[in-house]
Amino acid sequence: MARPRGFNSEEVAEALMNAFWLRGYGHTSLPDLVSATGLLRGSLYAAFGDKEGMFAVAIEGYMAHLRSELASDAKGIEGIREMLDAVVRITADDPDRRGCLLINAIPETAFVGSANAEAVNAGLQEMHRRVRKRLVEAQAASPETPDLDDLVAMVFASSVSIRVLGRAGQPRVLLQQVADGAVTSLMQAFHPEH
């Protein structure tokens, strides 16, 4: 699609992401998107097709943002610790306490179009795979063989809980306790002698 003159795609994508992240798909109006991006309605439609196209850009931007925030070379349980600590940090340090764009979109998946609903689920599955990868590393370094499915589910649920509780305005100390509790449970599963 042709981009309007003066169009900075990264800035516009970030503005779309932030608008949808703050208000959700259903509560973000076209005037909100015009205001957030500084583009006229016609320019937005020319660039992205429709609101679903704009939301698709927001999801892509959010996933890139999340990957950057969670980037770490740490492996195994230390990798999980760093990941959960990062989730606490990005949740608690957000002045608007927006939570997670993907989790926030779950109740709206019937309205965001099938491609966007699939993108939301793909993003959640990517985070799930990230957790599993770290736990496979932990299992390789441990004599124990705990049920990885249960542990992956526990860590994934902890990260979701941190985001949801953070959006509800719960204190950082509680969010950190959720993260620390998950790591403690992992240590007990992989190193029960400690």
Side-chain angles (χ1 to χ4, degrees), residues 86-105:
V87 171
V88 170
R89 177 182 46 77
I90 62 177
T91 302
D93 289 352
D94 179 358
D96 295 316
R97 288 295 187 102
R98 295 170 292 180
C100 171
L101 177 68
L102 301 177
I103 296 168
N104 298 349

PDB file of all heavy atoms in Angstrom, residues 86-105:
ATOM      1  N   ALA A  86      11.590  -9.381  34.448  1.00  0.00           N
ATOM      2  CA  ALA A  86      11.311  -8.409  33.386  1.00  0.00           C
ATOM      3  C   ALA A  86       9.812  -8.160  33.263  1.00  0.00           C
ATOM      4  O   ALA A  86       9.374  -7.020  33.061  1.00  0.00           O
ATOM      5  CB  ALA A  86      11.883  -8.894  32.058  1.00  0.00           C
ATOM      6  N   VAL A  87       9.009  -9.210  33.399  1.00  0.00           N
ATOM      7  CA  VAL A  87       7.557  -9.048  33.346  1.00  0.00           C
ATOM      8  C   VAL A  87       7.085  -8.157  34.500  1.00  0.00           C
ATOM      9  O   VAL A  87       6.255  -7.269  34.312  1.00  0.00           O
ATOM     10  CB  VAL A  87       6.839 -10.422  33.356  1.00  0.00           C
ATOM     11  CG1 VAL A  87       5.340 -10.261  33.514  1.00  0.00           C
ATOM     12  CG2 VAL A  87       7.158 -11.193  32.083  1.00  0.00           C
ATOM     13  N   VAL A  88       7.640  -8.371  35.681  1.00  0.00           N
ATOM     14  CA  VAL A  88       7.305  -7.501  36.821  1.00  0.00           C
ATOM     15  C   VAL A  88       7.707  -6.064  36.514  1.00  0.00           C
ATOM     16  O   VAL A  88       6.924  -5.123  36.718  1.00  0.00           O
ATOM     17  CB  VAL A  88       7.994  -7.990  38.120  1.00  0.00           C
ATOM     18  CG1 VAL A  88       7.857  -6.955  39.230  1.00  0.00           C
ATOM     19  CG2 VAL A  88       7.420  -9.329  38.563  1.00  0.00           C
ATOM     20  N   ARG A  89       8.914  -5.876  36.013  1.00  0.00           N
ATOM     21  CA  ARG A  89       9.413  -4.523  35.737  1.00  0.00           C
ATOM     22  C   ARG A  89       8.552  -3.791  34.720  1.00  0.00           C
ATOM     23  O   ARG A  89       8.115  -2.667  34.960  1.00  0.00           O
ATOM     24  CB  ARG A  89      10.862  -4.594  35.240  1.00  0.00           C
ATOM     25  CG  ARG A  89      11.446  -3.238  34.853  1.00  0.00           C
ATOM     26  CD  ARG A  89      12.873  -3.350  34.323  1.00  0.00           C
ATOM     27  NE  ARG A  89      13.095  -4.408  33.354  1.00  0.00           N
ATOM     28  CZ  ARG A  89      12.731  -4.371  32.066  1.00  0.00           C
ATOM     29  NH1 ARG A  89      12.110  -3.317  31.585  1.00  0.00           N
ATOM     30  NH2 ARG A  89      13.002  -5.392  31.268  1.00  0.00           N
ATOM     31  N   ILE A  90       8.284  -4.431  33.570  1.00  0.00           N
ATOM     32  CA  ILE A  90       7.519  -3.729  32.539  1.00  0.00           C
ATOM     33  C   ILE A  90       6.079  -3.499  32.961  1.00  0.00           C
ATOM     34  O   ILE A  90       5.443  -2.550  32.510  1.00  0.00           O
ATOM     35  CB  ILE A  90       7.607  -4.434  31.166  1.00  0.00           C
ATOM     36  CG1 ILE A  90       7.018  -5.834  31.201  1.00  0.00           C
ATOM     37  CG2 ILE A  90       9.030  -4.470  30.664  1.00  0.00           C
ATOM     38  CD1 ILE A  90       7.014  -6.547  29.851  1.00  0.00           C
ATOM     39  N   THR A  91       5.572  -4.344  33.847  1.00  0.00           N
ATOM     40  CA  THR A  91       4.211  -4.173  34.350  1.00  0.00           C
ATOM     41  C   THR A  91       4.153  -3.045  35.374  1.00  0.00           C
ATOM     42  O   THR A  91       3.333  -2.131  35.259  1.00  0.00           O
ATOM     43  CB  THR A  91       3.703  -5.480  34.974  1.00  0.00           C
ATOM     44  OG1 THR A  91       3.759  -6.524  33.996  1.00  0.00           O
ATOM     45  CG2 THR A  91       2.280  -5.342  35.486  1.00  0.00           C
ATOM     46  N   ALA A  92       5.022  -3.100  36.366  1.00  0.00           N
ATOM     47  CA  ALA A  92       4.984  -2.127  37.461  1.00  0.00           C
ATOM     48  C   ALA A  92       5.471  -0.754  37.034  1.00  0.00           C
ATOM     49  O   ALA A  92       5.015   0.264  37.572  1.00  0.00           O
ATOM     50  CB  ALA A  92       5.800  -2.639  38.637  1.00  0.00           C
ATOM     51  N   ASP A  93       6.399  -0.693  36.079  1.00  0.00           N
ATOM     52  CA  ASP A  93       6.942   0.596  35.656  1.00  0.00           C
ATOM     53  C   ASP A  93       6.060   1.318  34.646  1.00  0.00           C
ATOM     54  O   ASP A  93       6.322   2.472  34.310  1.00  0.00           O
ATOM     55  CB  ASP A  93       8.346   0.421  35.064  1.00  0.00           C
ATOM     56  CG  ASP A  93       9.382   0.065  36.120  1.00  0.00           C
ATOM     57  OD1 ASP A  93       9.058   0.093  37.323  1.00  0.00           O
ATOM     58  OD2 ASP A  93      10.528  -0.249  35.728  1.00  0.00           O
ATOM     59  N   ASP A  94       5.026   0.662  34.155  1.00  0.00           N
ATOM     60  CA  ASP A  94       4.110   1.292  33.198  1.00  0.00           C
ATOM     61  C   ASP A  94       3.172   2.227  33.965  1.00  0.00           C
ATOM     62  O   ASP A  94       2.346   1.763  34.752  1.00  0.00           O
ATOM     63  CB  ASP A  94       3.305   0.213  32.472  1.00  0.00           C
ATOM     64  CG  ASP A  94       2.306   0.767  31.471  1.00  0.00           C
ATOM     65  OD1 ASP A  94       2.198   2.014  31.340  1.00  0.00           O
ATOM     66  OD2 ASP A  94       1.623  -0.043  30.827  1.00  0.00           O
ATOM     67  N   PRO A  95       3.275   3.541  33.772  1.00  0.00           N
ATOM     68  CA  PRO A  95       2.443   4.459  34.555  1.00  0.00           C
ATOM     69  C   PRO A  95       0.951   4.272  34.315  1.00  0.00           C
ATOM     70  O   PRO A  95       0.137   4.584  35.187  1.00  0.00           O
ATOM     71  CB  PRO A  95       2.911   5.849  34.103  1.00  0.00           C
ATOM     72  CG  PRO A  95       3.611   5.640  32.808  1.00  0.00           C
ATOM     73  CD  PRO A  95       4.146   4.240  32.828  1.00  0.00           C
ATOM     74  N   ASP A  96       0.587   3.747  33.145  1.00  0.00           N
ATOM     75  CA  ASP A  96      -0.834   3.529  32.843  1.00  0.00           C
ATOM     76  C   ASP A  96      -1.319   2.142  33.247  1.00  0.00           C
ATOM     77  O   ASP A  96      -2.508   1.849  33.111  1.00  0.00           O
ATOM     78  CB  ASP A  96      -1.098   3.752  31.347  1.00  0.00           C
ATOM     79  CG  ASP A  96      -0.847   5.184  30.937  1.00  0.00           C
ATOM     80  OD1 ASP A  96      -1.275   6.093  31.666  1.00  0.00           O
ATOM     81  OD2 ASP A  96      -0.200   5.393  29.884  1.00  0.00           O
ATOM     82  N   ARG A  97      -0.384   1.300  33.687  1.00  0.00           N
ATOM     83  CA  ARG A  97      -0.726  -0.073  34.085  1.00  0.00           C
ATOM     84  C   ARG A  97      -1.647  -0.733  33.051  1.00  0.00           C
ATOM     85  O   ARG A  97      -2.745  -1.203  33.353  1.00  0.00           O
ATOM     86  CB  ARG A  97      -1.376  -0.089  35.477  1.00  0.00           C
ATOM     87  CG  ARG A  97      -0.418   0.194  36.635  1.00  0.00           C
ATOM     88  CD  ARG A  97       0.634  -0.920  36.746  1.00  0.00           C
ATOM     89  NE  ARG A  97       1.479  -0.794  37.908  1.00  0.00           N
ATOM     90  CZ  ARG A  97       1.337  -1.513  39.017  1.00  0.00           C
ATOM     91  NH1 ARG A  97       0.388  -2.404  39.113  1.00  0.00           N
ATOM     92  NH2 ARG A  97       2.162  -1.336  40.023  1.00  0.00           N
ATOM     93  N   ARG A  98      -1.168  -0.777  31.806  1.00  0.00           N
ATOM     94  CA  ARG A  98      -1.972  -1.314  30.698  1.00  0.00           C
ATOM     95  C   ARG A  98      -2.030  -2.830  30.669  1.00  0.00           C
ATOM     96  O   ARG A  98      -2.811  -3.412  29.925  1.00  0.00           O
ATOM     97  CB  ARG A  98      -1.403  -0.805  29.370  1.00  0.00           C
ATOM     98  CG  ARG A  98      -1.524   0.696  29.205  1.00  0.00           C
ATOM     99  CD  ARG A  98      -0.753   1.192  28.007  1.00  0.00           C
ATOM    100  NE  ARG A  98       0.685   1.024  28.245  1.00  0.00           N
ATOM    101  CZ  ARG A  98       1.617   1.366  27.371  1.00  0.00           C
ATOM    102  NH1 ARG A  98       1.284   1.883  26.207  1.00  0.00           N
ATOM    103  NH2 ARG A  98       2.899   1.194  27.659  1.00  0.00           N
ATOM    104  N   GLY A  99      -1.175  -3.501  31.443  1.00  0.00           N
ATOM    105  CA  GLY A  99      -1.154  -4.960  31.389  1.00  0.00           C
ATOM    106  C   GLY A  99      -0.518  -5.435  30.098  1.00  0.00           C
ATOM    107  O   GLY A  99       0.439  -4.853  29.602  1.00  0.00           O
ATOM    108  N   CYS A 100      -1.056  -6.481  29.522  1.00  0.00           N
ATOM    109  CA  CYS A 100      -0.534  -7.087  28.301  1.00  0.00           C
ATOM    110  C   CYS A 100      -1.544  -6.902  27.169  1.00  0.00           C
ATOM    111  O   CYS A 100      -2.714  -7.253  27.327  1.00  0.00           O
ATOM    112  CB  CYS A 100      -0.283  -8.576  28.542  1.00  0.00           C
ATOM    113  SG  CYS A 100       0.122  -9.524  27.062  1.00  0.00           S
ATOM    114  N   LEU A 101      -1.106  -6.352  26.048  1.00  0.00           N
ATOM    115  CA  LEU A 101      -2.007  -6.138  24.913  1.00  0.00           C
ATOM    116  C   LEU A 101      -2.680  -7.442  24.491  1.00  0.00           C
ATOM    117  O   LEU A 101      -3.869  -7.464  24.177  1.00  0.00           O
ATOM    118  CB  LEU A 101      -1.238  -5.527  23.747  1.00  0.00           C
ATOM    119  CG  LEU A 101      -2.011  -5.312  22.451  1.00  0.00           C
ATOM    120  CD1 LEU A 101      -3.057  -4.227  22.630  1.00  0.00           C
ATOM    121  CD2 LEU A 101      -1.084  -4.962  21.311  1.00  0.00           C
ATOM    122  N   LEU A 102      -1.922  -8.554  24.479  1.00  0.00           N
ATOM    123  CA  LEU A 102      -2.481  -9.837  24.047  1.00  0.00           C
ATOM    124  C   LEU A 102      -3.550 -10.330  25.019  1.00  0.00           C
ATOM    125  O   LEU A 102      -4.637 -10.748  24.607  1.00  0.00           O
ATOM    126  CB  LEU A 102      -1.381 -10.880  23.921  1.00  0.00           C
ATOM    127  CG  LEU A 102      -0.237 -10.578  22.962  1.00  0.00           C
ATOM    128  CD1 LEU A 102       0.800 -11.695  23.018  1.00  0.00           C
ATOM    129  CD2 LEU A 102      -0.737 -10.376  21.546  1.00  0.00           C
ATOM    130  N   ILE A 103      -3.230 -10.295  26.301  1.00  0.00           N
ATOM    131  CA  ILE A 103      -4.187 -10.766  27.312  1.00  0.00           C
ATOM    132  C   ILE A 103      -5.422  -9.877  27.315  1.00  0.00           C
ATOM    133  O   ILE A 103      -6.553 -10.370  27.395  1.00  0.00           O
ATOM    134  CB  ILE A 103      -3.529 -10.813  28.705  1.00  0.00           C
ATOM    135  CG1 ILE A 103      -2.400 -11.842  28.714  1.00  0.00           C
ATOM    136  CG2 ILE A 103      -4.554 -11.127  29.791  1.00  0.00           C
ATOM    137  CD1 ILE A 103      -1.506 -11.773  29.933  1.00  0.00           C
ATOM    138  N   ASN A 104      -5.206  -8.561  27.203  1.00  0.00           N
ATOM    139  CA  ASN A 104      -6.334  -7.634  27.172  1.00  0.00           C
ATOM    140  C   ASN A 104      -7.252  -7.907  25.990  1.00  0.00           C
ATOM    141  O   ASN A 104      -8.461  -7.658  26.065  1.00  0.00           O
ATOM    142  CB  ASN A 104      -5.840  -6.187  27.083  1.00  0.00           C
ATOM    143  CG  ASN A 104      -5.000  -5.762  28.266  1.00  0.00           C
ATOM    144  OD1 ASN A 104      -4.929  -6.453  29.276  1.00  0.00           O
ATOM    145  ND2 ASN A 104      -4.348  -4.620  28.145  1.00  0.00           N
ATOM    146  N   ALA A 105      -6.684  -8.404  24.875  1.00  0.00           N
ATOM    147  CA  ALA A 105      -7.466  -8.628  23.657  1.00  0.00           C
ATOM    148  C   ALA A 105      -8.259  -9.927  23.689  1.00  0.00           C
ATOM    149  O   ALA A 105      -9.149 -10.119  22.854  1.00  0.00           O
ATOM    150  CB  ALA A 105      -6.544  -8.610  22.446  1.00  0.00           C
TER     151      ALA A 105
END
